[in-house]
Amino acid sequence: GDLRLLVVWNEGWNNSDVFPAGEGGFDAHYANPHAEISHSLRYELGGQPMHLRWGGELRVNLLDSTITTDETATVNVAGFASHEATLGVVKLTTGARADRQTFTDVVVSPRVSLVLAPGGGHQLRAAYNTGYNNPNQIQLFSDFETAPGARIIGHTDHAPERIVYGEVGYSGLLAQSLRLFVNTFTYRMKDTIALNSAEVLQTGLSFYENNSAVDAYGFEAGAELSISTAFKAYAHYAHVRLTAKDDYPYVANNLGSPQDKLSAGVQYDHSSGIFLTSDFQYVGETEVDRVPALPGSGSPFELTRLGSYAMLHARLGFVPVEGTEAAIAVMNALGDTTRHFPGGESPGP
């Protein structure tokens, strides 16, 4: 088998002059060192290929900022294992992961998937996955004012966010040059962590809390066309609908997520090493609960509509030798000015 060791140190700084307005901006320094060790073993059982992988992970999150207090290093220790068995035209994958963070209990996340490949370029698959999100540093240690008399406070008494996800999909080749795929899915997010803005009306304080479940369902479909060995094109559409109970604190339509997304593009690779790519993206309208620049009395959030927008990116380049390239890129060629993550500023142009 193969033994693999990965050690990474991520570090960065972030700041804003306008958010949060009640503090006159913020400065933050963060670091995220982590290490992973894993062992991979391939073998045969009854003449059928098998693949076993197992290992462990250690991750540390560090934060020092002007909008948090009493920051403590959060440590996550994890163990994981997965097994892949190929039985003729069927591939069965099973796995599980166990995590323990400084402020949470042990979380076990199993998963299983089944792929049927009868031949002719066709494939059917079904999957069941579970996952989690540990509370982040802002949810744990935040302490800042969005406006005079409206303060957001973090705490360490959170349960991890959990997700249960299921999907069924198909992909297939048609005429040896056109690949189609379609996928339907549903998932439930439990114990999602969000601010309870109603508390501001009573106490002037808002706390991050675990909340009732969010349910989602949707589908995606797409096509990939190989016109020649050098020229390819693709198109992809996705739709998702999210719902929650009336007591869920985030009231934006579809919980702030666009319902519709469309992407399409072309790629040209010449034998001389010259290449050209162009990618188009359309995101449907939505609305978000945001923190306005000048919050009024009551809730610190403001329901704001975000219109649909479209973006176009392109790259023209040359690959002189494998592993190297020189390229010119044009980003946002359509000049879209939508602010995707509005904070203290107003969204839009």
Side-chain angles (χ1 to χ4, degrees):
D2 298 322
L3 185 64
R4 181 173 179 265
L5 175 64
L6 175 69
V7 179
V8 178
W9 184 289
N10 295 315
E11 188 167 1
W13 292 261
N14 199 2
N15 66 79
S16 172
D17 294 329
V18 297
F19 178 82
E23 302 286 344
F26 77 93
D27 290 285
H29 171 221
Y30 59 89
N32 173 226
H34 68 274
E36 178 185 304
I37 185 171
S38 63
H39 180 245
S40 181
L41 178 64
R42 296 183 182 274
Y43 65 100
E44 287 191 358
L45 182 62
Q48 300 296 322
M50 307 287 169
H51 182 199
L52 172 66
R53 181 174 179 266
W54 61 283
E57 178 185 285
L58 175 66
R59 185 179 297 268
V60 182
N61 290 295
L62 306 168
L63 175 67
D64 180 23
S65 82
T66 57
I67 58 173
T68 53
T69 58
D70 299 325
E71 304 95 332
T72 301
T74 57
V75 180
N76 191 86
V77 179
F80 55 86
S82 64
H83 187 266
E84 182 181 287
T86 302
L87 308 170
V89 298
V90 176
K91 179 181 291 185
L92 175 65
T93 303
T94 56
R97 177 184 174 102
D99 289 81
R100 173 71 162 87
Q101 196 207 52
T102 303
F103 299 107
T104 60
D105 295 328
V106 175
V107 178
V108 179
S109 305
R111 61 191 60 188
V112 60
S113 68
L114 183 68
V115 177
L116 175 64
H122 300 282
Q123 186 181 92
L124 295 168
R125 71 181 184 279
Y128 169 84
N129 295 305
T130 60
Y132 77 101
N133 280 321
N134 279 322
N136 61 46
Q137 262 66 15
I138 294 298
Q139 295 162 345
L140 292 170
F141 308 118
S142 59
D143 186 2
F144 62 91
E145 285 191 340
T146 60
R151 194 167 196 86
I152 293 177
I153 303 293
H155 61 87
T156 59
D157 188 21
H158 295 295
E161 298 178 324
R162 300 301 310 272
I163 185 169
V164 178
Y165 176 88
E167 68 171 344
V168 177
Y170 161 80
S171 65
L173 278 175
L174 300 179
Q176 299 302 313
S177 61
L178 178 63
R179 175 179 291 275
L180 303 177
F181 72 89
V182 62
N183 183 47
T184 61
F185 61 87
T186 182
Y187 60 86
R188 164 166 282 199
M189 297 181 290
K190 300 183 294 184
D191 290 322
T192 53
I193 301 174
L195 285 170
N196 188 341
S197 57
E199 293 177 338
V200 174
L201 300 175
Q202 304 171 4
T203 65
L205 302 176
S206 184
F207 298 91
Y208 287 100
E209 296 179 351
N210 290 109
N211 292 279
S212 56
V214 172
D215 294 311
Y217 59 89
F219 72 92
E220 55 184 343
E224 299 174 357
L225 177 64
S226 298
I227 300 175
S228 67
T229 57
F231 189 77
K232 299 178 176 63
Y234 75 92
H236 175 261
Y237 172 74
H239 175 86
V240 63
R241 187 75 179 102
L242 292 93
T243 60
K245 294 182 179 180
D246 292 339
D247 61 349
Y248 194 79
Y250 199 72
V251 298
N253 181 46
N254 214 40
L255 303 185
S257 174
Q259 292 190 38
D260 303 289
K261 294 183 180 180
L262 173 68
S263 61
V266 294
Q267 177 180 334
Y268 177 74
D269 294 295
H270 193 265
S271 58
S272 64
I274 297 174
F275 67 88
L276 172 67
T277 65
S278 179
D279 299 282
F280 171 81
Q281 292 179 328
Y282 168 83
V283 178
E285 67 176 27
T286 187
E287 60 185 19
V288 296
D289 268 340
R290 71 182 186 95
V291 179
L294 298 173
S297 59
S299 172
F301 302 106
E302 178 179 272
L303 194 62
T304 305
R305 177 184 174 273
L306 296 180
S308 61
Y309 63 90
M311 302 185 74
L312 179 66
H313 314 302
R315 294 178 73 234
L316 174 64
F318 174 66
V319 180
V321 295
E322 186 176 353
T324 64
E325 70 173 43
I328 298 175
V330 178
M331 309 299 291
N332 192 21
L334 300 179
D336 178 71
T337 56
T338 303
R339 296 185 175 96
H340 299 178
F341 299 99
E345 73 279 6
S346 297

